[in-house]
Amino acid sequence: MAAAAAPGGVVGQRCLQLLVLVAAAGRAAAVKGGMLYPRESPSRELKELGGIWSFRADFSPGRVAGFEQRWYRQPLRQTGPVIDMPVPASFNDITQDPHLENYIGWVWYEKEVLLPQRWLQDDLSTRVVLRFGSAHYYSIVWVNGVQVVEHEGGHLPFEADISRIVQRSPGVPCRITVALNNTLTLHTLPPGSIQYMNDKTRYPKNYFVQNTRFDFFNYAGIHRPVVLYTTPSVYIDDITVTTTSSETMVQYQISVVGSELYSLSLSLRDQEGKVVATGDGPSGELKVPNPNLWWPYLMHENPGYRYFLEVKMQAQANGVPQEDIYTLPVGIRTVHVTSTQFLINGKPFYFHGVNKHEDADIRGKGLDWALIVKDFNLLRWLGANSFRTSHYPYAEEIMDLCDTYGIVVIDECPGAPYVDVICVNSYFSWYHDSGHLEVIPLQLTAQFENWYKTYQKPIIQSEYGADSVPGLHSDPPAMFSEEYQKAMLKEYHSVFDKKRKEYVVGELIWNFADFMTNQGITRVLGNKKGIFTRQRQPKSAAFVLRERYWKIANESSYAALPCSMEELPSH
C-alpha cells in the first residue's frame, strides 16, 4: 500500500521512539485483571460515545508534530484543521482524499463529553472507566491532557480507570484524545514492514510504502464502540463459567476488586426469568435440573438457549455499604472430539458454514449494527451453522450474537499437532493447476487421506474457493466467472460427501462476502471469492451452497428442520 511522501522518513522507527516523548505526560492507572463486557445493571451505568469525533492526520515530517507540539494538551481544533470522523469506523474510505485512504502513521481523534453529576462526586464510591472495543493498531489515550492508557493490538478491547481525573474537575467537559498509529512491523499482528524508496530518479524524497503479506486491506481507526461506564469502588472484576455433563453442573469462579470484605450471592435464571439454581461465595457449582441445553442452529428447534447468571456483591468501603450487580449470559453445552467425530452435547455435529472478514463499503472494519444483523440473516438464509474468524479476534458484540443465534465459531490456531481438529486450506484449480477443475477430486482426496493418516484426527476443510466477478458468465466455465465458482464448489462437494462418512467434520467456504485488499494486478477492487458481493447481494454460488447446507441439515434426524426447499425460511 503506497503512502504519501513523508519528509524525515521515520514513520516505522518513530512508532517506538515516540513512547519516550509521551512518558512524561502523566498517567492514570490502566485497568488490570478481568475485563467484563460493559453491561448496565442497578449498580452500573453506561454512556456510549459513538458518533462524530474530531479527527486530524499528522502529515508533518516524521508524523511527529502531534507529540512535539503536545496536541493532547488543548482541544484538537486549536492545533490546526480538523475534520469530522465517525466512530466506530475506519478512517480510510470516509473522505475523497487518496492520501488519507493510504495513510500510514499517527492520526488523532478527540471527543468532548459531559458526564452526569452523580458520576463526579468525589466520595470514593464510584469508578468511572473509559473503554475502547478496539482501535487499529497502536493507541495512546489522554483524558483532559493526562495520559491514561497505551495499548498495542488492533482487535482487542482496552480500558482505563479515569475516576480521579474527571472527579477532580466537576462541571468541566471530559476531553478524550486518542493518538493512533497503523504502522505494521515484524513485531505486530498482523505483521508488515516499512520500505523506503531511495532511488530519487523514481520516487519523491523520503518516499516509503507499507508492505504486507496478508490479503486484506489494512484498515485503521477506532473500529469498535467507545463507552464510559461506572461501577462501585468495590466491584465484580471477572466471572469465569464452565459447564460439565456430570449432573449438569455450572461451575463458576468470581473475582472481586477493592476490598477483601465482601459477600457474593448468585442466581441462575432461565429465559422466562425463573430461578433454577442459586449459590454463594467466590467459587462453586450450580446444579441445574432438567436443563435446556445450548444447541447450534438447525440442530434443535430452540437453538442458542441461554440462561442468565446474576452475581450480586455486597461489601463495605470506607464505612459505606456498596453493592454491585452483573448478569452474564450462560449456555449449557458440552463438546467432545473423537478420532472421527465432533460432538456437541453428545451428538455428531457437521460444520457447514463460511469464513468472514470484518469488512464493508465505506465503514471498512467499523462495527455497524445494520450490517451485522444483515449478515446474520444471510447466514440463517444460507443454512450456515458456523463461521471461522479470519484472521483476527472478532468484536465481542458479534460473538455474543453467535451465542444468541446458535452459530458455532472457529477461532484460528496455528499449532498443526496441539489441536483436537485439523483445519485444512486448499485452492485446487485456482492458485495452481489454474482452470483445471478435473484435478480437484484426485488432489482433494489425497489431501484428506494424507492428513488423516498422519494425525488420526477429524478434519475440517477450513478454506476453499474461487474468485467470481458478479455478472461475468462463461460456458464452459472459465476462471472468474460465476459458472466457474459454481463448478468448483460442486467438485469439492462430491469429495466432501464421501469423506464426511469417514472423518471430515466440516466445510467452510472462502468467503462469505467479497472484501477489500491492497491494490495489485491479481485483485480488481478486492478479493472476489465471496458468495455474496461486498454489498451483500448473492452470487450464483450462494444458491448452490444454500441448497447443499439445508440438504445436509435435513439429512440429520432433527424433527424441527424443514423437509423441502419450499419450506426454507425467506429471511
Side-chain angles (χ1 to χ4, degrees):
M1 177 166 58
V10 290
V11 174
Q13 300 161 8
R14 282 294 180 92
C15 181
L16 297 178
Q17 295 172 357
L18 285 175
L19 301 185
V20 177
L21 295 177
V22 300
R27 302 179 184 174
V31 174
K32 298 180 180 179
M35 195 182 295
L36 291 172
Y37 184 78
R39 301 181 191 275
E40 290 189 300
S41 75
S43 62
R44 298 179 176 223
E45 293 185 84
L46 186 69
K47 184 178 181 68
E48 297 186 359
L49 303 184
I52 301 299
W53 289 49
S54 296
F55 177 90
R56 185 180 181 187
D58 186 345
F59 285 104
S60 68
R63 310 288 204 248
V64 297
F67 293 95
E68 295 175 339
Q69 300 170 16
R70 300 186 178 185
W71 290 355
Y72 53 85
R73 288 287 185 90
Q74 57 189 318
L76 193 59
R77 63 183 177 276
Q78 296 178 10
T79 69
V82 298
I83 63 174
D84 290 341
M85 186 61 63
V87 171
S90 301
F91 62 72
N92 308 79
D93 294 342
I94 299 299
T95 75
Q96 303 306 110
D97 185 353
H99 298 298
L100 188 58
E101 180 184 33
N102 296 306
Y103 180 87
I104 301 296
W106 291 98
V107 299
W108 294 72
Y109 286 80
E110 184 185 85
K111 181 84 166 178
E112 290 188 352
V113 296
L114 289 172
L115 305 184
Q117 187 65 35
R118 60 186 175 276
W119 291 16
L120 305 177
Q121 298 171 0
D122 191 10
D123 58 2
L124 303 179
S125 64
T126 300
R127 290 173 69 243
V128 181
V129 181
L130 172 63
R131 184 185 195 273
F132 290 79
S134 76
H136 188 76
Y137 177 80
Y138 195 103
S139 305
I140 306 172
V141 182
W142 296 262
V143 172
N144 295 341
V146 178
Q147 185 180 333
V148 298
V149 67
E150 290 180 24
H151 179 77
E152 182 176 15
H155 302 94
L156 294 174
F158 57 98
E159 60 184 25
D161 184 340
I162 63 170
S163 310
R164 302 288 78 85
I165 298 173
V166 297
Q167 289 171 351
R168 70 189 180 201
S169 303
V172 177
C174 174
R175 180 167 51 86
I176 301 167
T177 308
V178 182
L180 188 64
N181 194 312
N182 65 338
T183 305
L184 299 179
T185 71
L186 297 178
H187 303 288
T188 62
L189 288 173
S193 62
I194 296 293
Q195 180 180 1
Y196 297 98
M197 303 303 190
N198 297 320
D199 186 345
K200 296 181 180 179
T201 66
R202 301 181 63 195
Y203 302 99
K205 183 180 179 181
N206 298 315
Y207 191 84
F208 68 92
V209 294
Q210 169 79 79
N211 291 324
T212 60
R213 289 296 188 93
F214 50 84
D215 192 32
F216 53 92
F217 193 80
N218 183 32
Y219 279 113
I222 301 177
H223 284 157
R224 295 172 188 165
V226 184
V227 300
L228 286 164
Y229 71 91
T230 66
T231 74
S233 59
V234 184
Y235 60 96
I236 301 166
D237 178 60
D238 198 17
I239 304 172
T240 301
V241 173
T242 57
T243 59
T244 67
S245 57
S246 175
E247 298 183 335
T248 318
M249 290 293 187
V250 175
Q251 301 171 333
Y252 65 87
Q253 186 169 348
I254 302 165
S255 64
V256 172
V257 170
S259 175
E260 295 182 356
L261 301 175
Y262 61 86
S263 63
L264 289 167
S265 61
L266 298 87
S267 60
L268 187 68
R269 300 178 183 272
D270 63 17
Q271 292 187 353
E272 286 69 47
K274 179 183 177 182
V275 175
V276 297
T278 59
D280 56 60
S283 62
E285 295 182 334
L286 305 177
K287 185 175 181 180
V288 183
N290 302 316
N292 291 302
L293 300 181
W294 187 96
W295 289 99
Y297 177 53
L298 300 180
M299 204 171 176
H300 191 270
E301 61 183 3
N302 189 13
Y305 191 96
R306 298 194 295 175
Y307 292 85
F308 299 92
L309 179 64
E310 182 186 84
V311 180
K312 182 180 293 185
M313 180 224 67
Q314 292 182 319
Q316 290 280 334
N318 301 312
V320 178
Q322 294 203 5
E323 181 178 77
D324 191 21
I325 300 173
Y326 190 91
T327 300
L328 182 71
V330 173
I332 300 176
R333 60 101 180 95
T334 61
V335 173
H336 182 63
V337 179
T338 72
S339 62
T340 59
Q341 290 184 314
F342 189 97
L343 306 172
I344 294 182
N345 300 328
K347 294 187 177 182
F349 176 75
Y350 186 81
F351 296 78
H352 42 90
V354 301
N355 291 268
K356 288 184 96 280
H357 265 301
E358 292 182 328
D359 174 279
D361 285 335
I362 302 175
R363 59 192 64 76
K365 288 190 179 301
L367 185 141
D368 180 271
W369 280 112
L371 181 73
I372 290 172
V373 173
K374 176 65 173 180
D375 282 0
F376 273 95
N377 282 333
L378 288 175
L379 287 174
R380 293 189 290 179
W381 173 88
L382 191 66
N385 61 10
S386 53
F387 75 79
R388 173 171 166 255
T389 61
S390 48
H391 301 283
Y392 35 78
Y394 269 36
E396 293 165 285
E397 292 82 356
I398 293 178
M399 304 298 265
D400 187 65
L401 278 180
C402 288
D403 288 344
T404 301
Y405 292 137
I407 302 297
V408 177
V409 178
I410 299 176
D411 280 330
E412 290 182 287
C413 176
Y418 307 108
V419 297
D420 297 315
V421 178
I422 303 296
C423 289
V424 182
N425 304 340
S426 59
Y427 292 88
F428 303 124
S429 86
W430 191 256
Y431 289 123
H432 51 82
D433 297 307
S434 303
H436 292 279
L437 295 166
E438 66 275 9
V439 305
I440 292 177
L442 179 64
Q443 294 182 2
L444 184 59
T445 298
Q447 166 199 273
F448 286 142
E449 292 177 351
N450 290 337
W451 278 101
Y452 192 75
K453 179 181 179 181
T454 302
Y455 292 104
Q456 296 291 303
K457 294 178 179 180
I459 299 173
I460 295 174
Q461 183 73 41
S462 49
E463 286 187 25
Y464 71 106
D467 288 73
S468 70
V469 177
L472 183 63
H473 297 287
S474 176
D475 186 21
M479 293 179 70
F480 293 98
S481 69
E482 292 196 49
E483 285 75 18
Y484 192 91
Q485 190 181 39
K486 287 172 56 179
M488 179 278 305
L489 289 178
K490 292 180 179 179
E491 294 291 344
Y492 267 83
H493 295 165
S494 65
V495 179
F496 293 163
D497 285 340
K498 296 176 182 176
K499 292 302 181 181
R500 67 189 178 97
K501 298 175 183 178
E502 301 176 43
Y503 46 76
V504 169
V505 296
E507 57 194 71
L508 304 172
I509 187 69
W510 184 272
N511 193 282
F512 171 75
D514 295 344
F515 56 91
M516 188 52 64
T517 65
N518 291 342
Q519 296 187 61
I521 59 174
T522 61
R523 293 286 177 254
V524 182
L525 287 178
N527 189 305
K528 293 292 192 290
K529 290 187 180 66
I531 58 170
F532 297 99
T533 67
R534 203 176 184 214
Q535 296 74 36
R536 274 46 180 185
Q537 296 303 313
K539 302 179 188 178
S540 299
F543 296 95
V544 172
L545 276 183
R546 184 180 189 236
E547 182 175 5
R548 173 172 177 79
Y549 286 177
W550 282 97
K551 180 182 178 182
I552 291 174
N554 276 304
E555 288 174 352
S556 303
S557 58
Y558 307 116
L561 301 181
C563 58
S564 67
M565 283 295 292
E566 289 73 20
E567 297 178 57
L568 301 187
S570 60
H571 61 269

